[in-house]
Amino acid sequence: MRKVPEYFGSLVFDDRTMRATLSADVYASLRKTIDEGSALDITVANAVAQAMKDWAISLGATHFTHWFQPLTGITAEKHDSFISPSPDGSVIMEFSGKELIKGEPDASSFPSGGLRATFEARGYTAWDPTSYAFIKGKTLCIPTAFCSYGGHALDKKTPLLRSMEVLSREALRILRLFGNDSAKRVVSSVGPEQEYFLVTREMYEKRPDLRFTGRTLFGAKPPKGQELDDHYFGVIKPGVAAFMEDLNEELWKLGILAKTEHNEVAPAQHELAPIYTTTNIATDHNQLTMEIMQRVAAKHGLVCLLHEKPFEGVNGSGKHNNWSIATDSGQNLLSPGDTPYENAQFLLFLCAVIKAVDDYQDLLRLSVATAGNDHRLGANEAPPAVISMFLGDELNAVLEAIETDTPYKGVEKMQMKLGVDVLPKFNRDTTDRNRTSPFAFTGNKFEFRMLGSSNSIACANIMLNSAVAESLRIYADRLEKAEDFETALHEMIKKTIKDHKRIIFNGNGYDDAWIKEATEERGLLNYPTTADCMPHILDEKNVKMLTSLGVFSIDELYSRRDIMLENYCKSIQIEANTMIDMARAQIAPAIEAYTADVAKAAAAKKAVSPALKCAYETGLVETLSGLIDEIAEKTDALEDAMAKVQTAADIVEESAIIRDALLPAMTALRAPADKAEALTARSYWPYPTYADLLFGVR
Ligand code: ADP
Ligand code: MG
């Protein structure tokens, strides 16, 4: 068996491979492009393309593709082969620098939210040299950004790169004020923990709801669910272990640092966490991870469910976005330092995050909003839809001392003035974990826990990077002009704490009392659904921040709102249609057949012995008949709600009708069907049950 270090990254055109296959000059200028973002010369591009192609062909590749992340959430690729005809009838394998740098996919069927209609008919993809090319199957994949010819971003990567850029720019201004002249860049890093479910393919195939929507739309509670908490970190079943082993190998070949895997809270639920890396690479890797999970599952006769809520009444799946910022020399700016001076800098960065999260709660909320994730947030299994931050006791005490100009515990005669030599040393607080907080400080990073399992992490990190960049920009503007740096610094930190402490909450985020306190006393925002929050991307303060930093243009913001709402509306309408079909074509007939057989059985028994009361059969027939009537009635009502959706004047109105009329109609139809499932003989029920699905993988 091959050892991991031998094949790790073997399918990636990474630094090792570049160094081995490129001339010293070409390598040096490519490196400069990667590290410093300098422009790439066409002769260099040609040389890189040549080396990349030879390397890819030696590993069996025949095609190349510009791999990009359109706004649909999945990744897209259009394959071109390397072949080029020769006059003698043979072919040669060709790949030019131009083809490496730029592609022109037929973009017409990717969502643009009206952007292309207004501006440009076509789009192009452009190589992101900061993310390494890799081989998938027989195809060389080149990570790219996707833009319209007018320069509007049609993907998630472009604004992500822009947000990383502005964060770096503003953070460097702060570092310079603290005397750091050596840092060239500040880089945000992410380690996304990915949750997922595994079910057998055989059972999956029998459920139209899973096949069409990724989640079960019907299903009675199983006799055993997650009550015992015996699955979390439990022994991994052989079938699952084999899947994980294979998955790791595939990910490692692609240079993805898959590190931790364990069972999650729900039966059949698992988690995979990679080691953190630069945000845009982490984003690419997470997209690849989700794709490869599904492919490897298929090889094992399994299906990997990435939906946020595949099973009602069972914990859904999320993704924890562990985020930090560091200099190019590796200094983590969210790590409390060893000296008071470093701690002053740390506190300023910490305050920048606190201010960012409070000022842009709405953007963070909407960055994770999808129809699927709406089922989790606030359902007492994931953080609520209200954003708050957890800092831990020690940091809290430090901030409190600063705010009130009182001594920090245990330190003699200490005023918390943030001078160079008065700030106490404090320890990293890693022990105090609060799992219910949407946004928790965990020692040297923040863990944003609201992401859904199927979300691209790009959206959350675009908003996070931008909002923090905006805090830093405001700080830098003030501090650069200050006459006395230390006094100004102290005042600013103090003011941030005063103005934004409402966002800090260290209690139980799942508690209903918290939502009341958060919204009524603290004035925090609560947007329970996608339909509620998405329109706020266009609120004046949000548009101002995102456009002034250059992360989005106003047109891009409009297009994003429309596309996200369209996704929301479409996916719920597909669910509603699937429910109508399942109820009419399979569920009602199954109950009907069983009811008829029970009635027949009663009649047969009475024929033998007329005195028999057949109370069991009579009761069951009555109950099931009642439920069939109810199912029929609720199916009609759901259809009416669908018709109402069609009357909407625009996408915002449509999403509101879906929230207010369609979703409740779906819930109303599900109830009698689930009741009937529990009363119907198993052999009549057309679908595998929750117990089958949740405990079916061996
Ligand atoms: P858990 O949250 O389950 O306790 P860990 O805290 O060990 O797990 O880490 C979870 C994720 O956080 C991993 O992907 C890890 O690589 C990532 N991580 C650790 N340090 C940082 C950091 N400084 N910046 C970003 N991510 C980090
Ligand atoms: Mg975690």
Side-chain angles (χ1 to χ4, degrees), residues 1 11 31 123 148 152 176 196 219 307 457 465 529 562 598 607 674:
M1 214 168 106
L11 297 178
R31 201 64 253 175
S148 76
H152 291 285
R176 299 289 182 254
Y196 60 96
H307 194 282
I457 63 169
N465 289 341
T529 73
D562 288 356
V598 173
D674 288 359

Side-chain angles (χ1 to χ4, degrees), residues 320-621:
H320 291 175
N321 189 83
N322 294 274
W323 175 92
S324 68
I325 43 179
T327 63
D328 51 342
S329 63
Q331 187 200 359
N332 183 343
L333 300 174
L334 294 177
S335 194
D338 291 328
T339 66
Y341 202 74
E342 285 170 4
N343 277 341
Q345 181 185 303
F346 159 73
L347 281 177
L348 189 64
F349 279 102
L350 181 77
C351 282
V353 182
I354 294 171
K355 178 172 162 55
V357 174
D358 188 32
D359 284 342
Y360 299 101
Q361 298 162 45
D362 42 3
L363 288 181
L364 290 173
R365 166 66 184 95
L366 67 87
S367 75
V368 302
T370 57
N373 212 18
D374 284 356
H375 295 289
R376 282 176 70 240
L377 302 177
N380 290 328
E381 58 165 64
V386 177
I387 307 232
S388 65
M389 293 174 89
F390 169 84
L391 295 180
D393 293 340
E394 173 139 36
L395 267 187
N396 249 6
V398 171
L399 296 188
E400 213 170 275
I402 296 172
E403 189 199 350
T404 54
D405 282 323
T406 50
Y408 177 63
K409 58 172 181 186
V411 185
E412 277 172 39
K413 297 189 295 200
M414 262 281 315
Q415 287 292 100
M416 285 297 295
K417 184 151 171 13
L418 280 163
V420 190
D421 45 28
V422 277
L423 191 71
K425 183 168 181 236
F426 46 86
N427 298 318
R428 297 176 36 157
D429 189 353
T430 47
T431 45
D432 197 0
R433 303 297 296 270
N434 180 331
R435 298 256 162 211
T436 65
S437 175
F439 204 99
F441 185 67
T442 51
N444 62 353
K445 63 182 190 291
F446 278 97
E447 188 168 342
F448 184 26
R449 302 204 177 103
M450 287 171 78
L451 285 77
S453 46
S454 68
N455 283 167
S456 157
I457 63 169
C459 309
N461 288 294
I462 293 167
M463 296 309 179
L464 189 51
N465 289 341
S466 306
V468 173
E470 176 70 358
S471 303
L472 294 172
R473 184 190 68 75
I474 292 169
Y475 290 171
D477 282 353
R478 266 187 234 150
L479 289 175
E480 282 167 0
K481 286 193 209 103
E483 286 183 3
D484 173 1
F485 175 70
E486 276 169 27
T487 308
L489 178 66
H490 178 78
E491 284 312 311
M492 218 162 53
I493 289 183
K494 205 170 139 180
K495 181 167 160 39
T496 301
I497 300 166
K498 263 206 172 67
D499 291 351
H500 299 288
K501 66 180 175 190
R502 64 172 187 164
I503 197 76
I504 298 166
F505 175 64
N506 293 302
N508 180 3
Y510 294 2
D511 198 341
D512 289 339
W514 159 238
I515 302 304
K516 206 168 138 65
E517 177 188 331
T519 52
E520 290 173 18
E521 287 162 39
R522 301 194 186 203
L524 299 180
L525 299 171
N526 184 15
Y527 296 129
T529 73
T530 304
D532 299 311
C533 64
M534 204 51 79
H536 292 285
I537 199 171
L538 293 172
D539 285 2
E540 199 184 333
K541 76 170 174 67
N542 295 334
V543 172
K544 190 157 173 257
M545 186 272 280
L546 291 167
T547 57
S548 69
L549 287 177
V551 174
F552 286 111
S553 67
I554 179 78
D555 304 295
E556 287 169 354
L557 288 174
Y558 270 96
S559 85
R560 257 143 243 257
R561 181 202 62 178
D562 288 356
I563 290 166
M564 295 315 287
L565 285 177
E566 266 161 28
N567 274 349
Y568 173 82
C569 295
K570 270 191 206 144
S571 51
I572 297 175
Q573 288 180 89
I574 293 170
E575 290 179 352
N577 278 328
T578 305
M579 283 188 94
I580 293 171
D581 187 57
M582 287 171 79
R584 289 208 175 121
Q586 290 184 292
I587 293 177
I591 307 168
E592 187 73 14
Y594 178 56
T595 310
D597 282 353
V598 173
K600 252 189 253 160
K605 279 158 84 175
K606 280 189 181 170
V608 174
S609 175
L612 283 175
K613 282 171 75 185
C614 294
Y616 164 71
E617 291 85 350
T618 310
L620 196 54
V621 167

Side-chain angles (χ1 to χ4, degrees), residues 199-220 305 310-311 578 582 586-587 670 674 677 685-693:
V199 297
T200 69
R201 172 153 295 274
E202 194 193 344
M203 289 178 198
Y204 171 89
E205 296 289 355
K206 292 182 183 147
R207 299 229 28 154
D209 46 4
L210 282 181
R211 282 195 290 130
F212 297 144
T213 74
R215 74 177 181 110
T216 55
L217 299 167
F218 295 101
L305 303 178
F311 306 100
T578 305
M582 287 171 79
Q586 290 184 292
I587 293 177
R670 178 174 181 147
D674 288 359
E677 180 186 334
W685 201 254
Y687 310 121
T689 64
Y690 265 32
D692 296 333
L693 289 163

